[in-house]
Amino acid sequence: GEFEKVFIVLLKKFSEKVATRADEEECETFSRWCCACLEHVCRRLDAAGNDASEEFESVVLALGNVVKACLVSNKYHHVPGIVSLTLRKGEVGLRVNELKDMPPDLRGVLYEALKRRKGVDASEIRRGHLEKLCDFAVASASGADVVLAARASKPLLKDCTAEDFETVVRAKLVKALRRNPIESTLEVVSRMIRHVPRESITKESAQA
């Protein structure tokens, strides 16, 4: 109804303030509100087709803001866990995964939520999100965004296979270095490969 739409608009707007303050209790409380709204709107989508798609995207953006606050501050690690639990329920995570303009902050958390689900191709999801996060890191104008991309990528990078590294991570980063061989690009490369398993970046593994 109309109240629900207004509430979600305010939720998205307030999420920006929550992200700025990055208070632990506020982040946790707000993440629970967002998760509850996400589940509710997802049920509406199931019942009403695309009628609630705009509200769904707004709640995802609000949730992205609060997860971003946790990643930037590198604290409150239980908040992404709360979000991941919600994304595992029913169709919630699968619907979020279909969004074209997903907050980069949510990509790693979403992968954690979906990778063990039956009928889900974890490799395909991992590579898709790795591509987007590598692009985000390379395009970032500030060091803070590079740090954010690296932290958001951690769940994806720690599961990175030799094939993932060769076809996605290495390919994206080598292309960026060739195009713009400056210190900031080197920082991107350094941070984005920090959590990749050693066996995935050895020549022998890449050829396996």
Side-chain angles (χ1 to χ4, degrees):
E2 199 59 35
F3 172 78
E4 182 180 294
K5 290 182 180 180
V6 172
F7 180 80
I8 290 173
V9 168
L10 291 174
L11 192 76
K12 182 183 173 186
K13 186 175 181 179
F14 189 61
S15 71
E16 296 169 4
K17 295 181 179 180
V18 172
T20 301
R21 289 193 289 264
D23 174 78
E24 180 176 13
E25 185 175 350
E26 193 172 51
C27 281
E28 181 173 346
T29 301
F30 192 80
S31 68
R32 292 185 187 278
W33 272 102
C34 287
C35 287
C37 286
L38 200 60
E39 288 187 70
H40 172 72
V41 179
C42 189
R43 286 193 292 270
R44 276 194 57 207
L45 277 170
D46 290 339
N50 293 321
D51 290 349
S53 59
E54 189 175 337
E55 289 96 319
F56 186 77
E57 289 181 26
S58 293
V59 178
V60 171
L61 290 173
L63 195 56
N65 282 334
V66 75
V67 172
K68 178 179 179 178
C70 299
L71 292 173
V72 169
S73 64
N74 205 23
K75 297 184 287 187
Y76 325 142
H77 301 296
H78 57 290
V79 172
I82 292 169
V83 176
S84 184
L85 283 172
T86 297
L87 294 175
R88 291 176 194 173
K89 296 179 181 178
E91 299 296 308
V92 179
L94 295 173
R95 284 197 178 277
V96 174
N97 195 57
E98 292 170 359
L99 290 179
K100 186 177 180 180
D101 298 318
M102 187 193 310
D105 336 280
L106 283 180
R107 293 187 180 276
V109 176
L110 179 62
Y111 167 70
E112 279 288 310
L114 294 179
K115 69 179 184 179
R116 292 186 179 88
R117 284 193 62 148
K118 291 182 179 179
V120 168
D121 188 338
S123 296
E124 183 180 349
I125 290 175
R126 184 174 61 251
R127 287 175 195 167
H129 290 306
L130 275 173
E131 282 189 8
K132 295 292 186 181
L133 280 166
C134 283
D135 288 341
F136 174 74
V138 169
S140 296
S142 71
D145 282 342
V146 174
V147 172
L148 173 63
R151 288 175 180 166
S153 303
K154 190 174 178 180
L156 299 154
L157 293 170
K158 68 181 178 65
D159 286 355
C160 185
T161 65
E163 186 178 355
D164 295 339
F165 183 75
E166 187 70 18
T167 60
V168 180
V169 181
R170 181 180 178 277
K172 291 277 186 184
L173 298 181
V174 167
K175 185 177 180 180
L177 276 172
R178 286 174 177 165
R179 186 172 61 243
N180 201 11
I182 59 176
E183 187 177 344
S184 59
T185 311
L186 287 171
E187 182 190 357
V188 172
V189 173
S190 172
R191 288 189 176 277
M192 292 301 290
I193 68 172
R194 194 170 296 178
H195 300 293
V196 178
R198 182 179 296 180
E199 61 270 19
S200 294
I201 60 177
T202 60
K203 189 174 182 180
E204 291 78 14
S205 294
Q207 291 175 343

